[in-house]
Amino acid sequence: MTDLLFLLGAGLLAGAVNALAGGGTLISFPALVALGYPSLTASVTNAVALWPGYLGGVLGYRAELRGQRRRATALSITTVLGAVVGSALLLLTPGKLFESLVPWLVAFASLALLAQPWLRKLFGGEAGGPPSKMVYAGVFLGGCYGAYFNGGMGVLLLTVLGMFLHDNLHRVNAVRATLSLVISTVSVVAFSLFGPVQWQAVAVVAPASLAGGFLGTRLAKLMSAKVLRGVVVAFGLGVAVALALH
């Protein structure tokens, strides 16, 4: 019963954090490892279990996604390609070098998000114009990263989208939630077919992450764009430190 409550709490908090900023993996993945699952098993199980939380986040952003179907679809196609590559890397290679780079990638993304208004002027072109083609390269790399290691994925995606899409941050965050769901869906298919998923743990964490996803979107909508950016930056830097210590 203690283990059950522990996993339920981890799933709820991870789902909320993923909907708010991304990085819930840094809560649920250590929880699975603490219960004795090997690292690879914990990683693929965690990826499958958090899928409902990403779905909850997208459903919570329905209003913000209105009028963005074309943009979200085009970016999702590119993200799928990146997620396929990332899933294959996790299943086929040890990836120790990549793991050593993860804290630096998350820290860079967090600081880039902090400097986002300036970076948008530098790289993003004029407001109201079409997004830079660099956004597609960015979400492709985000798909690779997110499928390989989920921690900090939301921070990376929000940084890329915020630099190249001239829009309200909450609407950009809604697109980020959609791309996170796309990456998670590719991971679920790949890991369910080829990975050592522990379905009993998924049955506990998945519904909790769904509830957490709804909760996280509600919290995000209550924040101003500046506060939301500050929360994501602070959380992203915390994730980077946690990853470096791990």
Side-chain angles (χ1 to χ4, degrees), residues 164-225:
F164 301 120
L165 301 182
H166 294 275
D167 209 334
N168 177 277
L169 187 60
H170 289 290
R171 280 170 54 85
V172 173
N173 203 24
V175 176
R176 189 274 310 164
T178 302
L179 299 185
S180 296
L181 175 62
V182 169
I183 295 169
S184 180
T185 301
V186 173
S187 299
V188 165
V189 173
F191 299 156
S192 297
L193 292 175
F194 306 110
V197 177
Q198 296 298 306
W199 293 101
Q200 67 273 26
V202 171
V204 176
V205 177
S209 72
L210 175 60
F214 280 110
L215 177 63
T217 54
R218 288 180 177 272
L219 290 174
K221 289 178 182 180
L222 295 176
M223 301 178 184
S224 67

Side-chain angles (χ1 to χ4, degrees), residues 111-133:
L111 294 174
L113 184 61
L114 184 63
Q116 189 184 89
W118 178 78
L119 291 172
R120 177 183 292 172
K121 292 179 181 178
L122 186 63
F123 295 110
E126 296 297 326
S132 168
K133 292 181 179 180

Side-chain angles (χ1 to χ4, degrees), residues 60-194:
Y61 275 123
R62 288 192 305 273
E64 287 74 16
L65 284 169
R66 290 193 188 114
Q68 298 199 82
R69 179 181 297 179
R70 196 172 189 179
R71 169 194 287 176
T73 300
L75 292 173
S76 294
I77 293 172
T78 306
T79 306
V80 166
L81 299 176
V84 169
V85 173
S87 298
L89 286 174
L90 179 62
L91 293 173
L92 300 176
T93 66
K96 290 186 178 181
L97 175 61
F98 188 84
E99 289 176 8
S100 69
L101 294 174
V102 164
W104 301 102
L105 291 173
V106 177
F108 171 78
S110 302
L111 294 174
L113 184 61
L114 184 63
Q116 189 184 89
W118 178 78
L119 291 172
R120 177 183 292 172
K121 292 179 181 178
L122 186 63
F123 295 110
E126 296 297 326
S132 168
K133 292 181 179 180
M134 290 177 66
V135 70
Y136 294 99
V139 297
F140 175 83
L141 294 176
C144 292
Y145 172 87
Y148 184 89
F149 182 73
N150 192 271
M153 172 180 68
V155 178
L156 285 166
L157 288 174
L158 188 57
T159 300
V160 170
L161 295 173
M163 282 184 358
F164 301 120
L165 301 182
H166 294 275
D167 209 334
N168 177 277
L169 187 60
H170 289 290
R171 280 170 54 85
V172 173
N173 203 24
V175 176
R176 189 274 310 164
T178 302
L179 299 185
S180 296
L181 175 62
V182 169
I183 295 169
S184 180
T185 301
V186 173
S187 299
V188 165
V189 173
F191 299 156
S192 297
L193 292 175
F194 306 110

Side-chain angles (χ1 to χ4, degrees), residues 10-19 21-33 39 42-51 54 90 102 106 145-154 180 183-184 187 191 205 209 235 239 242-243 246:
L12 181 68
L13 190 56
V17 169
N18 276 338
T25 285
L26 272 297
I27 298 168
S28 50
F29 174 74
L32 290 167
V33 172
S39 294
S43 182
V44 297
T45 300
N46 176 74
V48 174
L50 291 186
W51 183 86
Y54 290 114
L90 179 62
V102 164
V106 177
Y145 172 87
Y148 184 89
F149 182 73
N150 192 271
M153 172 180 68
S180 296
I183 295 169
S184 180
S187 299
F191 299 156
V205 177
S209 72
F235 187 81
V239 167
L243 283 169
H246 174 71

